[in-house]
Amino acid sequence: MTDVRLILHNLFRKVVRTLLLITATMIAFLIYGTLAGFDESIEQVYSKIPADRLITVNTINFTQPLPYAYVNRVRTIEGVERASHANWFGGYYREERNQVATFAVDPETYMDVAPEILVDPQVRARFVGTRGAMIAPRRLADQYGWQVGDQVSLFSNIFPRENGSYAWPFEFAGVYDIRAEYGEGGGAVLIHYDYFNEARRFGRDDVGWITIDAVSPEAADRIAEEVDALFANSRAQTETSSAAAFQRGFLEQSISIASVVTLVSTAGFATILLIVGNAMVVAIRERTREVAVLKTLGFGSGRIFRLILGESLALVLIGGALGLGLTALIFSMLSQVPGNPLPPLKLYPITIATAVGYMVLLGIVTGLIPAVGAWRLKIVTALGRE
């Protein structure tokens, strides 16, 4: 009988206990894989954002507006290639559960500073030329069955119109696609800023943020400093950062992913260490006489050490692999959800490699004490135990 067969035979000797241990390990690595995979997926998307792209927001926080006049003043700064602006509209379609992220933008310039957008020239021309028009990501349009020319009403969560109604009518001008590296499920509905600005009851001539394209990454830091210095003594002071840093900060306003990954993973792995380690000690203690018999039959202490350590490694690797497999399945299912605003979620090699490293480490740590105990076990002492 080979060592591998011996390891698997001993591992599944008590099936219920083994399945429970595998399930506990699977859950821990499911949590780790989901959190770490999400974090890495976000980083992969952010890494695609050009280094010369900047975002300017109110220094208080991004929910506070900036005067519209800032946009043209930013454009006069040396090294600014282009600048556009946008405003958060909020929004839902028909019912509040149908949340639709919507931005009021300058249709002529916004898509030039939004690298993720792929739009047909005819759709773009129709959108730019129709004041009350809107365009939407393809998946969102497919989800609600919007067709070119349809009259679509979106309800703002924040902004009422002058007549007090929160329902905003738009003409659907067409769809746009998202570049694959940014996630096919992302994107927001885009509407005309001028149409929105003239009809809203409050906040006229304010914008939410300004997107700036610098002539080069080298010029970006200087431009960021000059923008903030330009409005340092204004009623609305600014904070300018790279687009990648802004989006990361926006996400971490509500949750620090890296901290969650660390805390949850530490708690999960500590639990595995206690549960699996204790189970392995009990399992080897139950087989003390068997270990003595194996030594009597010529199994060396080193081989027995490797068998027990291999048993612990196999248990953690099986549970960990199932956890990562379930994570991949969940990510695949999320990618099929219409209107999914998340970036493309998947397990990148770095996440898998790190998880496997943790599996090996946990397998060694949990199996080390019982393996050392079996290695040092005296045959006479073991056979004399009840």
Side-chain angles (χ1 to χ4, degrees):
M1 182 176 286
T2 65
D3 286 357
V4 173
R5 291 184 63 187
L6 279 172
I7 289 171
L8 294 177
H9 174 76
N10 287 325
L11 183 62
F12 288 96
R13 175 177 296 187
K14 292 195 174 181
V15 177
V16 174
R17 180 169 64 188
T18 298
L19 291 179
L20 289 174
L21 292 174
I22 288 175
T23 300
T25 308
M26 178 189 72
I27 292 172
F29 278 95
L30 168 63
I31 295 171
Y32 172 80
T34 301
L35 292 175
F38 181 78
D39 189 41
E40 183 61 29
S41 297
I42 293 292
E43 290 295 342
Q44 290 291 329
V45 170
Y46 292 163
S47 68
K48 306 296 191 304
I49 298 176
D52 56 4
R53 181 155 291 137
L54 303 170
I55 300 289
T56 297
V57 296
N58 192 302
T59 192
I60 297 174
N61 60 53
F62 67 90
T63 66
Q64 298 302 308
L66 297 172
Y68 176 82
Y70 281 18
V71 180
N72 286 328
R73 295 182 67 184
V74 164
R75 287 171 177 157
T76 65
I77 295 176
E78 183 181 354
V80 173
E81 186 173 15
R82 63 177 69 88
S84 188
H85 60 87
N87 207 98
W88 176 258
F89 174 85
Y92 60 90
Y93 179 60
R94 292 183 176 173
E95 301 177 3
E96 287 194 33
R97 62 192 178 114
N98 299 326
Q99 294 293 315
V100 178
T102 306
F103 299 159
V105 304
D106 176 11
E108 295 186 359
T109 61
Y110 181 78
M111 285 175 279
D112 294 330
V113 296
E116 73 277 11
I117 291 179
L118 287 172
V119 60
D120 183 272
Q122 291 183 345
V123 173
R124 179 168 182 165
R126 191 182 303 120
F127 176 53
V128 171
T130 307
R131 195 175 185 81
M134 59 172 268
I135 59 174
R138 186 178 300 276
R139 283 197 176 186
L140 192 64
D142 291 344
Q143 179 183 1
Y144 294 120
W146 296 335
Q147 301 293 326
V148 174
D150 284 354
Q151 295 299 310
V152 178
S153 288
L154 296 181
F155 293 81
S156 176
N157 307 84
I158 305 170
F159 299 101
R161 298 164 62 200
E162 281 190 308
N163 61 9
S165 173
Y166 284 84
W168 291 73
F170 300 100
E171 179 182 333
F172 186 62
V175 301
Y176 68 85
D177 293 299
I178 302 294
R179 295 183 190 275
E181 60 267 30
Y182 290 90
E184 295 179 359
V189 169
L190 304 181
I191 62 175
H192 278 240
Y193 173 81
D194 287 344
Y195 170 74
F196 162 73
N197 189 51
E198 291 176 4
R200 59 176 162 171
R201 173 174 285 187
F202 64 88
R204 286 185 181 173
D205 297 328
D206 283 339
V207 299
W209 63 91
I210 304 170
T211 303
I212 303 167
D213 271 352
V215 292
S216 68
E218 293 73 25
D221 289 340
R222 174 186 59 79
I223 292 172
E225 293 176 0
E226 290 190 21
V227 169
D228 293 341
L230 183 62
F231 306 113
N233 298 314
S234 304
R235 68 176 177 87
Q237 298 181 31
T238 63
E239 180 178 354
T240 303
S241 60
S242 70
F246 170 75
Q247 292 193 25
R248 181 77 187 195
F250 177 84
L251 182 65
E252 292 189 346
Q253 288 286 326
S254 57
I255 184 170
S256 176
I257 300 175
S259 298
V260 171
V261 171
T262 301
L263 291 173
V264 175
S265 299
T266 300
F269 295 156
T271 303
I272 292 177
L273 192 63
L274 291 173
I275 295 175
V276 178
N278 181 68
M280 288 299 299
V281 169
V282 171
I284 299 307
R285 182 174 293 276
E286 291 174 350
R287 297 182 345 232
T288 299
R289 287 196 174 190
E290 293 181 21
V291 172
V293 171
L294 289 175
K295 287 191 173 185
T296 303
L297 294 175
F299 280 68
S301 295
R303 186 179 181 187
I304 291 176
F305 178 91
R306 291 192 298 273
L307 286 172
I308 294 173
L309 201 60
E311 192 174 330
S312 176
L313 279 168
L315 192 152
V316 176
L317 286 170
I318 292 171
L322 289 173
L324 292 182
L326 192 54
T327 299
L329 178 62
I330 291 172
F331 283 175
S332 177
M333 292 171 63
L334 285 175
S335 69
Q336 304 303 317
V337 176
N340 172 26
L342 296 173
L345 299 177
K346 64 179 180 179
L347 288 174
Y348 287 87
I350 183 64
T351 305
I352 296 173
T354 303
V356 171
Y358 283 136
M359 292 177 204
V360 173
L361 179 62
L362 286 168
I364 292 174
V365 172
T366 54
L368 194 58
I369 293 177
V372 170
W375 177 59
R376 298 174 60 184
L377 187 67
K378 302 297 183 181
I379 297 176
V380 174
T381 302
L383 291 175
R385 288 183 182 176
E386 294 296 331

